[in-house]
Amino acid sequence: MSKPIIATASLAGCFGCHMSFLDIDERILDLVELVHWGKSPINDIKTFQQDCDIALIEGGCCNDEHIHTLREFRKHCRVLVAVGECAIMGGLPAMRNNIPIKECLEEAYLNSPSTSDANPDRILPNDEELPMLLDKVYPCHEIVKMDYFLPGCPPRADLIYGALTALVTGQEAELPYEVIKFD
Amino acid sequence: MSEDMNGGMDNTLTDPLSSTNLMSLTIDGQEIQAEKGQTIVQAAQKNGIYIPTLCALHADKESGLKHDLAPGTCRICTVKANGRTTAACTTPISQGLVVENDTPELNDLRKTIVELLFVEGNHFCPSCEKSGSCDLQALAYRYQMLTPRFHYAFTPRKVNADMPKLLWDGNRCILCRRCVLAIRTEEGEPLFVFANRGDKSTITVDTELIQDISEELAQQAMDICPVGAIIRKGKGFDTPFGQRKYDHSPIGSDTACSSGENKAGGEKS
């Protein structure tokens, strides 16, 4: 049987979950024995070369590009894992969900102390290359079906490693009390 | 309703043969004795059996309360008493009562309640000063909630930062009523009250009385809140990770009795 292929993506997140993943330290060598790497910011492969078995998704969806990426992952990956607070509930970006999007943009680009002088023409970013912002920040499971959830901000490296090796080897994940934390 | 409930319950059955005020009952098959008039939660606490609570609170040194609180608002303490589902904090014990507490069915029900509380408010644990010492979060750990199975409501909630010593964050409030019952002036006037009804229920603060509360009362208000809805200003994240209340052992570990199953999956700590 060929090795399973792992892909990863960061949507509206801070890359902290990927950093935490790298915190598995030398155990990454054990993992390399078990898996192949597909599309991921870790190896900088930008498109799907082939379908993957397991995908780790960090971050929620706050613009249309995130939605597109997430749907691509659902199409090309067998098991989607929501990693971290942002992927599971929107996290820090979702704190804007109760503020109208117009107010958010005006605060960021027109009214804040650091931008009011730097933006004399009072322009809101409007280049067509830019992804469109959504009305709210959505957790991943509200866009596509997610299969597993690893909570934390970021999830402990031991949690990611334990869950990932369990998924790869088909065993039950051992998740002791200390590794499941929401912060 | 709360303090009076515990004192004024005379409708409980007494054992005619018993000359004392003690009653026998069983919780999860373990026979215990407790005083007439106590609730199931009080009887369990006295005997070292853990029943989870978010609104009920025992009067002890840690809570600083003179009377036990039992508002019956959160229902996390739901047990089966003689086969009937009921809130353990508002149900008085009776002679020969058979209580089911730590069963897979009830624990799943409690997990569901925790999940509903998580999706109904906006509980951003990483940005909350109470994280690590929060009872709601600790219950989620105890019942091994990886994610709520319901969609988040992202309910718009108010934040009151106008008070001199306290900050009240409606995003985290679970309407447990502890602050309403327990935090009062020396004359007994409440500082926090319920306003509105149904899904518009909220806590409002007496803006005049709150102006000159003591440091002790402010600290008690923060301590008594089971979540991070009441936070002392100027305090911030003052306990390092690894030293917070629920960093090493699950909520209830200190009271849980000998039964191995009585404790959560986090027993390995």
Side-chain angles (χ1 to χ4, degrees):
Chain A
M1 203 176 99
S2 59
K3 290 182 187 176
I5 305 172
I6 292 186
T8 74
S10 177
L11 309 177
C14 69
F15 261 101
C17 299
H18 274 82
M19 291 295 137
S20 187
F21 178 44
L22 295 179
D23 269 347
I24 66 174
D25 299 331
E26 74 275 8
R27 283 177 289 177
I28 202 163
L29 298 174
D30 301 335
L31 205 58
V32 166
E33 296 292 316
L34 292 172
V35 300
H36 282 305
W37 287 91
K39 171 180 152 63
S40 164
I42 292 173
N43 54 16
D44 210 23
I45 295 176
K46 302 238 182 334
T47 51
F48 282 105
Q49 316 288 318
Q50 56 192 315
D51 284 0
C52 300
D53 295 284
I54 297 160
L56 307 179
I57 311 288
E58 165 190 349
C61 294
C62 77
N63 63 39
D64 61 352
E65 194 190 331
H66 293 149
I67 303 259
H68 172 76
T69 310
L70 190 54
R71 287 188 174 148
E72 282 295 297
F73 266 79
R74 182 72 277 180
K75 212 187 287 176
H76 292 290
C77 303
R78 197 166 51 82
V79 176
L80 285 195
V81 187
V83 183
E85 180 85 356
C86 299
I88 290 174
M89 77 159 298
L92 193 83
M95 291 178 104
R96 78 158 157 94
N97 280 2
N98 292 320
I99 304 168
I101 190 76
K102 185 164 177 272
E103 239 174 80
C104 287
L105 286 169
E106 285 177 352
E107 181 65 30
Y109 292 100
L110 306 180
N111 301 333
S112 77
S114 62
T115 49
S116 53
D117 294 337
N119 188 6
D121 297 331
R122 298 180 65 76
I123 297 170
L124 292 177
N126 60 357
D127 195 288
E128 60 181 29
E129 289 285 318
L130 292 173
M132 288 294 284
L133 285 185
L134 304 175
D135 61 333
K136 281 202 301 185
V137 177
Y138 294 89
C140 291
H141 70 268
E142 297 203 4
I143 307 297
V144 300
K145 182 188 179 298
M146 302 299 286
D147 303 297
Y148 286 96
F149 298 86
L150 303 178
C153 184
R156 305 291 185 272
D158 291 343
L159 175 62
I160 300 178
Y161 183 75
L164 204 53
T165 45
L167 275 175
V168 169
T169 55
Q171 290 165 345
E172 194 87 6
E174 274 193 37
L175 305 175
Y177 179 81
E178 291 81 8
V179 306
I180 300 178
K181 291 278 177 276
F182 296 166
D183 58 6
Chain B
M1 160 178 161
S2 67
E3 293 104 324
D4 299 339
M5 274 213 72
N6 306 324
M9 285 181 294
D10 291 316
N11 55 344
T12 50
L13 296 171
T14 45
D15 183 355
L17 299 175
S18 168
S19 58
T20 66
N21 253 354
L22 284 180
M23 286 175 159
S24 304
L25 64 153
T26 59
I27 299 183
D28 293 329
Q30 182 188 347
E31 193 162 317
I32 61 167
Q33 291 202 316
E35 282 165 41
K36 177 188 171 189
Q38 286 191 320
T39 63
I40 298 173
V41 161
Q42 287 170 324
Q45 150 91 6
K46 194 181 158 227
N47 288 278
I49 297 169
Y50 179 67
I51 298 179
T53 58
L54 282 171
C55 66
L57 191 62
H58 297 288
D60 57 23
K61 216 174 179 184
E62 197 188 342
S63 67
L65 291 176
K66 292 193 184 82
H67 307 282
D68 283 4
L69 298 182
T73 48
C74 75
R75 317 313 266 193
I76 197 80
C77 66
T78 299
V79 293
K80 277 193 174 178
N82 284 345
R84 188 169 159 267
T85 309
T86 180
C89 76
T90 58
T91 306
I93 57 165
S94 54
Q95 179 63 30
L97 188 70
V98 177
V99 179
E100 289 172 59
N101 165 47
D102 189 23
T103 65
E105 179 199 352
L106 286 168
N107 284 335
D108 187 56
L109 182 84
R110 289 166 182 165
K111 187 179 178 184
T112 312
I113 294 172
V114 171
E115 288 171 7
L116 285 167
L117 288 170
F118 261 91
V119 298
E120 197 223 347
N122 301 304
H123 298 275
F124 295 101
C125 292
S127 70
C128 179
E129 292 95 325
K130 193 82 173 235
S131 185
S133 307
C134 166
D135 289 2
L136 178 66
Q137 188 193 49
L139 281 169
Y141 293 162
R142 184 180 169 95
Y143 296 119
Q144 303 214 299
M145 181 187 96
L146 293 183
T147 182
R149 67 194 98 162
F150 311 102
H151 278 204
Y152 291 99
F154 291 119
T155 323
R157 296 277 184 84
K158 286 200 170 67
V159 176
N160 182 350
D162 291 341
M163 300 172 271
K165 293 199 179 77
L166 293 173
L167 179 138
W168 180 81
D169 190 342
N171 291 301
R172 304 165 184 164
C173 182
I174 57 167
L175 299 169
C176 71
R177 205 156 159 256
R178 273 188 192 178
C179 58
V180 175
L181 294 171
I183 306 303
R184 291 171 183 247
T185 62
E186 282 177 20
E187 289 76 37
E189 290 171 285
L191 295 163
F192 298 88
V193 286
F194 266 154
N196 305 333
R197 282 169 185 271
D199 65 348
K200 295 192 175 55
S201 297
T202 185
I203 295 280
T204 57
V205 184
D206 190 313
T207 45
E208 278 183 24
L209 288 178
I210 206 82
Q211 292 302 320
D212 39 40
I213 58 164
S214 64
E215 290 291 339
E216 293 75 40
L217 196 61
Q219 185 61 45
Q220 197 195 4
M222 179 172 171
D223 291 343
I224 216 163
C225 181
V227 287
I230 301 175
I231 294 288
R232 273 185 75 187
K233 279 188 174 175
K235 192 175 158 69
F237 297 84
D238 62 347
T239 316
F241 278 40
Q243 293 175 21
R244 302 169 307 178
K245 200 170 173 186
Y246 302 119
D247 272 347
H248 297 293
S249 46
I251 189 170
S253 308
D254 46 344
T255 50
C257 68
S258 51
S259 149
E261 289 152 10
N262 211 5
K263 301 177 184 180
E267 232 333 72
K268 288 161 191 162
S269 63

